Amino acid sequence: MGQYIDRGNMGFRIARKSEYVDKSGLIAAINRTLGTEFLFSCVSRARRFGKSMAAKMLCAYYDRSCDSRELFADLEIARDPSFEEHLNKYPVIYLDLTAFATRFKKPNLVSLIDTELKKDIHEVYPDVPIPRGADLMDYLVRINVRKGDRFFFIIDEWDTICREYPKSAVMDEYVTWLRRMFKEVNAGNVFVGVYMTGILPIKKYETQSAMNNFSEYSMTDPGDLAPFFGFTHDEVRMLAGRRGMDMGELEKWYDGYQIGDQKSIFNPNSVMQALMRRRCRCYWTKTGAYDSVSTYIKMDYEGLHDDVVRMLAGERVRVNSTTFQNDMKAVRSRDDVLTLLIHLGYLSYDWDREVCYLPNREVAMEMENAIKANNWKPVIDALEQSERLLDALLRGNAEAVAKGVEAVHRQEVSLFKYNDENSMACVISLAFYAARNDFHVHREYQSGDGYADLVLIPRKNVTKPAVVIELKYDKTVDTAISQIKQKHYPEKLQEYTGDILLVGISYNQETKEHKCRIEQYAKE
């Protein structure tokens, strides 16, 4: 067993001894590319979304130095027609670039990578000498010619050098090395497959000429690999059932990512942490990206500040993800910041509508922390007032609700300049931000004969009333309550067995006055 070649299956074997969610369908997808012009794959995803786990699984499956049949016998891939064809058939080269960069520092990092890999591979092929002055690709070509062996090459955290040494001689050497390895005329003969994974895509890392033969899959464009980017709803439900965990709590904390056509993806690391500790909490502080988030949102490009507040209020904001250069050190616009946060997993991306949003409670808490670190006092005040405002609403204190909403309105934030009911709805959503702890919060909720402005539906095991809120701009609260009744907004909530509160909130543009009316709904 080598350090970089013929590593065996121990990494994946350890994973199988833990609570493992079957993502072996990824192998079938990669098998379809082997030996074709599409043999080069780069799959980028956020920290703690299973990058290294996938790399270890692929290593265990392809590595010829071990027998992994029993590790995969009960998994999805074992039922795929390609299973036997490629199982443990290839010499696998496995490079964990983060671990390597930790051991060896610049300026000779790239040459050391090449040298260390040659030395390790030579121990497996002692009868194939390394020609004087030969680089790694020269040596692999020689092995291929003499032995006929074709390699499967895995690079975990491929973008480490790009992130750590941007616009440096080390970066230039790395680009040259990548071009030499994967654009060489003999690459199709030497490699049966190449799989790289990291945080950021490769397309615009000034490596396009070096890497344009790679098929890319990312948080913004996962292609047919979307189901393998995180845990699906059914997978988490299975885990919750095994551990006796509240599925509603897991949904609130970790669900909400839309990745490609997958509408309900959970953060896998956070789910496993919660199951292990039997407690849902924020585990994002362990990802190492928080300082970057705080730095980026402070830039406030082109109204980014307001966009962050809008997302805290539950809204989605448009983003052009195509302009980002995939360089954490070259962020120059609002769209760059938002796209980077999508790749880091701090925002989710709806590729059909080209909008982004905060996916769940865990990420929202980290965004709150970033806002506090940047001292956005008006927003901080609004969030702190939110719990008091929700309490007043549930107690039926209409006057206190009106005053609380007015206090949020007075904050010195450009977003809160009411100019229509939609802007008002955003403010109200932020004002009731605390409701997300115990309620499912829905904007423009379809019910009865129309859409209610804001609906709060209690989460499972929460003994609080449902709330239907109708907003009126330059109209009376009586008009708001009447509309709720006339359009039968509570109708869809009839299955809810508890009470329902009807709430009308109005704003008078001329007097700057807010009013509120709260009624108990009489269920039919």
Side-chain angles (χ1 to χ4, degrees):
M1 181 181 295
Q3 187 171 1
Y4 304 108
I5 187 171
D6 291 349
R7 287 167 54 103
N9 58 25
M10 185 54 67
F12 189 59
R13 186 175 294 278
I14 292 172
R16 286 305 318 265
K17 290 180 179 178
S18 307
E19 188 122 38
Y20 178 72
V21 173
D22 185 359
K23 294 295 180 181
S24 65
L26 173 65
I27 298 173
I30 299 301
N31 281 349
R32 290 192 289 271
T33 71
L34 299 186
T36 74
E37 61 180 322
F38 303 106
L39 66 91
F40 302 95
S41 301
C42 182
V43 182
S44 59
R45 42 181 141 172
R47 288 182 173 96
R48 304 302 189 262
F49 266 72
K51 296 188 304 296
S52 295
M53 177 67 74
K56 291 173 183 176
M57 177 183 69
L58 293 172
C59 182
Y61 173 76
Y62 291 117
D63 196 321
R64 68 179 182 181
S65 69
C66 57
D67 183 356
S68 300
R69 185 177 301 275
E70 95 282 0
L71 290 176
F72 293 98
D74 61 335
L75 300 182
E76 179 184 348
I77 184 58
R79 300 187 294 274
D80 191 88
S82 68
F83 177 64
E84 295 289 347
E85 181 181 358
H86 302 290
L87 177 65
N88 299 133
K89 295 291 173 56
Y90 307 107
V92 174
I93 302 171
Y94 189 109
L95 174 62
D96 181 345
L97 204 52
T98 297
F100 201 102
T102 301
R103 290 175 55 208
F104 303 103
K105 301 297 183 182
K106 66 175 188 177
N108 300 317
L109 179 58
V110 178
S111 62
L112 284 170
I113 291 173
D114 197 87
T115 299
E116 289 291 310
L117 289 175
K118 281 187 301 187
K119 287 167 53 179
D120 201 50
I121 293 170
H122 182 55
E123 292 185 10
V124 175
Y125 294 94
D127 57 335
V128 182
I130 303 175
R132 182 182 297 275
D135 63 10
L136 176 60
M137 191 58 181
D138 287 328
Y139 189 43
L140 294 179
V141 169
R142 173 167 287 206
I143 293 171
N144 173 253
V145 170
R146 291 200 178 186
K147 298 289 188 178
D149 288 352
R150 302 179 72 190
F151 298 86
F152 192 94
F153 202 150
I154 299 172
I155 304 182
D156 192 6
E157 301 288 358
W158 86 271
D159 55 336
T160 297
I161 291 176
C162 304
R163 288 184 279 113
E164 297 296 327
Y165 306 111
K167 298 180 180 178
S168 67
V170 176
M171 174 66 179
D172 293 340
E173 291 172 11
Y174 184 49
V175 170
T176 301
W177 186 80
L178 291 171
R179 180 181 297 113
R180 172 71 175 136
M181 292 299 300
F182 304 129
K183 290 287 286 186
E184 161 70 35
V185 67
N186 292 311
N189 296 325
V190 170
F191 301 114
V192 67
V194 175
Y195 181 91
M196 300 201 313
T197 186
I199 296 173
L200 297 178
I202 62 178
K203 184 177 179 182
K204 301 171 186 176
Y205 246 137
E206 298 181 0
T207 62
Q208 189 163 356
S209 62
M211 313 285 281
N212 62 3
N213 55 333
F214 273 77
S215 298
E216 294 187 66
Y217 308 88
S218 70
M219 299 291 279
T220 59
D221 189 3
D224 60 352
L225 301 189
F228 312 120
F229 270 62
F231 288 172
T232 66
H233 196 272
D234 288 343
E235 289 165 346
V236 175
R237 183 175 295 280
M238 174 192 65
L239 292 171
R242 288 178 185 172
R243 294 293 188 96
M245 290 282 288
D246 185 340
M247 184 64 182
E249 280 295 292
L250 291 169
E251 288 174 338
K252 175 178 76 173
W253 280 89
Y254 313 120
D255 190 9
Y257 289 96
Q258 178 173 338
I259 299 180
D261 59 1
Q262 297 292 307
K263 306 295 186 181
S264 179
I265 293 292
F266 290 68
N267 179 321
N269 179 69
S270 295
V271 169
M272 297 308 294
Q273 294 276 3
L275 292 173
M276 183 174 64
R277 292 170 169 79
R278 300 190 62 78
R279 186 182 188 191
C280 291
R281 286 295 182 271
C282 179
Y283 300 109
W284 263 100
T285 52
K286 303 181 186 301
T287 65
Y290 164 72
D291 288 341
S292 295
V293 174
S294 182
T295 298
Y296 294 131
I297 69 169
K298 182 167 59 178
M299 294 176 177
D300 195 22
Y301 289 115
E302 304 158 11
L304 174 65
H305 179 133
D306 289 349
D307 285 334
V308 170
V309 177
R310 288 170 67 87
M311 287 188 287
L312 274 177
E315 290 207 350
R316 302 184 175 205
V317 300
R318 292 196 63 82
V319 57
N320 179 358
S321 65
T322 64
T323 62
F324 181 47
Q325 296 300 305
N326 299 332
D327 186 342
M328 295 176 72
K329 304 296 183 181
V331 177
R332 301 186 179 92
S333 70
R334 162 196 175 275
D335 286 323
D336 284 353
V337 173
L338 295 176
T339 305
L340 175 56
L341 294 180
I342 292 167
H343 287 301
L344 291 174
Y346 279 83
L347 296 176
S348 184
Y349 179 65
D350 181 334
W351 68 347
D352 292 324
R353 297 177 176 83
E354 297 183 335
V355 295
C356 60
Y357 58 95
L358 289 170
N360 52 48
R361 178 59 178 153
E362 180 182 44
V363 176
M365 285 184 66
E366 284 305 289
M367 194 62 74
E368 289 177 49
N369 290 337
I371 286 172
K372 291 174 182 176
N374 286 297
N375 196 31
W376 294 6
K377 192 174 185 307
V379 183
I380 295 170
D381 289 346
L383 296 179
E384 289 177 349
Q385 292 164 3
S386 180
E387 289 191 14
R388 297 192 294 272
L389 184 58
L390 177 63
D391 180 66
L393 183 147
L394 295 176
R395 288 187 288 104
N397 190 336
E399 183 178 354
V401 170
K403 289 182 178 179
V405 170
E406 188 169 314
V408 174
H409 183 192
R410 286 199 305 266
Q411 306 300 333
E412 299 288 336
V413 181
S414 61
L415 172 69
F416 297 162
K417 294 177 181 177
Y418 288 167
N419 52 26
D420 55 30
E421 289 187 20
N422 186 60
S423 296
M424 181 179 175
C426 182
V427 175
I428 299 300
S429 294
L430 185 64
F432 288 106
Y433 180 77
R436 299 175 189 277
N437 291 327
D438 292 330
F439 295 86
H440 296 283
V441 179
H442 300 277
R443 284 277 306 275
E444 293 295 318
Y445 186 75
Q446 186 176 10
S447 185
D449 299 327
Y451 292 83
D453 287 329
L454 191 68
V455 172
L456 314 181
I457 302 177
R459 296 182 182 276
K460 184 180 178 181
N461 299 324
V462 172
T463 57
K464 293 179 180 179
V467 181
V468 180
I469 301 176
E470 184 65 23
L471 311 173
K472 288 301 174 188
Y473 184 79
D474 283 340
K475 294 181 181 178
T476 68
V477 290
D478 292 338
T479 301
I481 295 293
S482 294
Q483 180 171 320
I484 293 174
K485 295 175 179 178
Q486 290 170 3
K487 293 196 173 184
H488 310 289
Y489 289 157
E491 186 175 282
K492 196 173 179 180
L493 306 179
Q494 290 284 5
E495 62 187 52
Y496 172 65
T497 57
D499 297 327
I500 302 175
L501 295 180
L502 311 184
V503 181
I505 298 176
S506 68
Y507 173 69
N508 186 299
Q509 182 179 214
E510 182 177 346
T511 65
K512 311 299 182 186
E513 185 180 19
H514 299 76
K515 290 188 177 180
C516 175
R517 178 177 164 187
I518 302 174
E519 284 190 10
Q520 187 86 27
Y521 177 66
K523 292 172 58 178
E524 297 177 359

